[in-house]
Amino acid sequence: MKAGRAGAAADAVERARQILGRARSIVVLTGAGISAESGVPTFRGPEGLWKDHRPEELATPEAFARDPRLVWEWYGWRQDVVRRCAPNAAHRALARRALAAGAAPLTLVTQNVDGLHAAAARQVGRELGEEPATALPLELHGSLFRVRCSGCGRRREHDGPVDASSRQSLPRCEGCGELLRPDVVWFGEPLPRRELEESFAAASAADACLVVGTSGVVYPAAGVVTAAAASGAEVVEVNPRETALSATAGVSVRAGAAEAVPRLFG
Ligand code: OAD
């Protein structure tokens, strides 16, 4: 029984390698599962809760309007968790493949706000002596390490701690004085236009689509996969469990990302 499962997984990896190996253009969509083995909790997994709050209760404009201190306290905790994490073998394999000389173009699209794809791009770029730019992801849901003014919309990088001990101590815009907020997409908010357009353009140009570590239930992000499939791309999924996108995938590799993704491009 065990040998049968291992054989099926090896067969899926081989078929996935062939699909990705013959592709002339690849789009990759990642979700929280790709960072699970780095130690970042997934959203819908058992560790997604914080002080009994579900992410869906805090990641909304209404929650920020009601209690910005609580929302910043949660984001401060998430930043601390992520600062202690490093890219894993899956992030690094994707960065290496995106920077490989002469390989078919690969567009990396992520729903993650943890910055681990960008960290992998910088790491691998340094090791190869390459600029990391082509391995940087399109961040559909923003970044934990940028802030945006809730008044005038001005954005900037932000990697320091936030004092969320009182409403008065929260960071404010240098331009207009309104409260700064994390530059992440909250429930009910539109996705950033450039990232969305470039992701869907890459999806319709791709002849292979790799989807890693996402439950595939949040749109429009999951639509990157269905758009690629509708344009004729072969879809490969890496996820230990069945997801809402499994029916769209021709090949599902039932394994963790850090183990499976390096084998797809090795
Ligand atoms: P979820 O928490 O919904 O799903 C994580 C997926 O990762 C699940 O399908 C797991 O089976 C899978 N998984 C767990 N461990 C894994 C591993 N080691 N390797 C590969 N896969 C693994 O997270 P997302 O699908 O990313 O949006 O959630 C999508 C969006 O919902 C998030 O970006 C966030 C959330 O609401 C916003 O905040 C706007």
Side-chain angles (χ1 to χ4, degrees):
M1 183 68 189
K2 241 183 170 173
R5 263 210 302 270
D11 181 50
V13 168
E14 190 44 44
R15 284 188 292 141
R17 278 169 60 90
Q18 283 172 14
I19 290 170
L20 296 167
R22 65 175 172 252
R24 282 156 302 166
S25 178
I26 301 174
V27 66
V28 181
L29 178 71
T30 69
I34 197 171
S35 298
E37 287 154 279
S38 291
V40 183
T42 59
F43 283 89
R44 291 170 182 79
E47 291 154 353
L49 284 180
W50 173 76
K51 292 190 178 177
D52 289 339
H53 295 284
R54 285 183 300 123
E56 296 89 327
E57 290 167 25
L58 296 174
T60 70
E62 293 77 19
F64 189 74
R66 194 169 52 238
D67 193 347
R69 197 207 60 73
L70 180 70
V71 173
W72 260 122
E73 190 187 352
W74 179 53
Y75 276 98
W77 171 77
R78 290 182 64 193
Q79 286 173 341
D80 283 347
V81 168
V82 168
R83 270 196 210 96
R84 289 196 290 271
C85 297
N88 66 46
H91 299 104
R92 287 176 50 82
L94 289 172
R96 199 173 304 112
R97 174 58 186 69
L99 293 175
L106 180 151
T107 303
L108 181 54
V109 181
T110 190
Q111 300 164 86
N112 299 345
V113 295
D114 58 28
L116 291 177
H117 282 301
R122 288 190 297 270
Q123 255 178 26
V124 173
R126 260 195 314 276
E127 288 162 17
L128 299 177
E130 299 279 349
E131 282 299 316
T134 53
L136 292 176
L138 293 164
E139 295 176 322
L140 284 183
H141 292 169
S143 167
L144 281 180
F145 299 106
R146 273 196 320 264
V147 285
R148 168 157 42 113
C149 176
S150 58
C152 68
R154 180 193 290 218
R155 291 185 158 81
R156 66 171 168 79
E157 303 296 310
H158 178 90
D159 194 7
V162 163
D163 179 355
S165 54
S166 72
R167 191 183 171 112
Q168 286 65 36
S169 68
L170 296 178
R172 290 195 170 262
C173 178
E174 297 82 354
C176 72
E178 286 295 325
L179 282 176
L180 292 173
R181 54 167 276 184
D183 188 19
V184 297
V185 175
W186 285 334
F187 289 99
E189 292 186 322
L191 274 60
R193 190 190 304 183
R194 178 189 68 85
E195 284 82 351
L196 198 58
E197 284 175 0
E198 290 185 19
S199 300
F200 277 85
S204 44
D207 44 25
C209 172
L210 172 63
V211 49
V212 184
T214 179
S215 52
V217 293
V218 173
Y219 281 77
V224 168
V225 178
T226 47
S231 307
E234 294 182 270
V235 177
V236 171
E237 175 181 59
V238 173
N239 198 308
R241 311 183 87 92
E242 193 170 328
T243 73
L245 293 169
S246 297
T248 310
V251 177
S252 290
V253 178
R254 294 279 168 244
E259 180 212 330
V261 174
R263 293 169 65 200
L264 301 184
F265 296 112

